[in-house]
Amino acid sequence: MKRNVLLFGLIIGVILCANMVIMVNMMYSDTDFKGNDVVGYTAMIILFSLIFFGVKNHRDKQLGGHISFGKAFKMGSLIALVGSTLYVVVWLFYYYLFVPDFIDVYTDHVLTTCAPEDVQAKSVQMANFKEMYKNPLFVILITYSEVLPIGLVVALVSALLLKRKLKGSLA
């Protein structure tokens, strides 16, 4: 199980990190950059679908085709946690070492893309966010909240789809 958790978690994490670096660089290099949350979260769901294949691989090759919902969800959650943790660690290094002005660039981006009547409210909101982002613990929590919930939902769905009881078993 450990091998599959690490393998699939690291694959997910590496792709998440590459996507993050590309998107941040696009925001820095193109002042008219317009991100698309729907496309971004859809891509994350597709990427986290590797959880399904990691759990299925373990079920079929190590467990003889049988796995309980609990074991499948635990494994899927661990895969999501490994991928998300790699994403968080890379973001911390990338943010503090390479883009320490990210919040300023992001704030400018948000304020130039919002409706004119929303600028005042968004300015206050972004100033509060910038103040909270000075705390590394907040940076860690907010970064986990970007990806881990999606991974956990995919782990839950995967566990529901992949659970399979032994014939004649009550479990």
Side-chain angles (χ1 to χ4, degrees):
M1 182 169 108
K2 289 178 189 176
R3 182 181 179 279
N4 275 0
V5 166
L6 286 175
L7 176 67
F8 285 90
L10 289 174
I11 291 170
I12 290 169
V14 166
I15 297 170
L16 280 172
C17 292
N19 183 56
M20 172 199 35
V21 170
I22 290 168
M23 297 308 280
V24 169
N25 286 334
M26 287 175 66
M27 189 184 317
Y28 267 81
S29 63
D30 182 5
T31 56
D32 295 329
F33 172 73
K34 289 182 175 45
N36 187 326
D37 290 341
V38 173
V39 171
Y41 281 102
T42 301
M44 276 197 258
I45 291 169
I46 292 168
L47 179 57
F48 274 114
S49 68
L50 288 174
I51 290 170
F52 175 88
F53 297 104
V55 175
K56 184 179 184 316
N57 179 283
H58 181 68
R59 180 196 73 185
D60 295 346
K61 291 187 177 177
Q62 276 77 39
L63 301 177
H66 307 286
I67 194 168
S68 68
F69 169 80
K71 283 186 180 183
F73 182 66
K74 176 183 174 187
M75 183 175 181
S77 298
L78 289 172
I79 292 170
L81 184 63
V82 169
S84 298
T85 300
L86 184 60
Y87 178 83
V88 169
V89 168
V90 169
W91 173 246
L92 289 171
F93 280 103
Y94 193 61
Y95 173 65
Y96 287 111
L97 297 177
F98 300 105
V99 291
D101 64 335
F102 174 78
I103 293 299
D104 296 325
V105 172
Y106 181 67
T107 298
D108 291 342
H109 175 72
V110 168
L111 295 178
T112 57
T113 58
C114 73
E117 62 272 8
D118 296 336
V119 171
Q120 182 66 29
K122 281 287 185 189
S123 294
V124 171
Q125 182 183 13
M126 293 308 295
N128 290 337
F129 187 74
K130 183 177 179 177
E131 188 61 34
M132 288 188 291
Y133 222 75
K134 290 178 182 176
N135 180 346
L137 180 59
F138 178 78
V139 175
I140 292 168
L141 292 175
I142 200 74
T143 307
Y144 265 118
S145 75
E146 293 172 11
V147 292
L148 186 57
I150 296 166
L152 293 176
V153 168
V154 173
L156 178 68
V157 171
S158 297
L160 287 169
L161 294 173
L162 291 170
K163 66 179 176 157
R164 194 181 293 161
K165 296 178 187 175
L166 279 168
K167 298 280 188 217
S169 170
L170 297 176

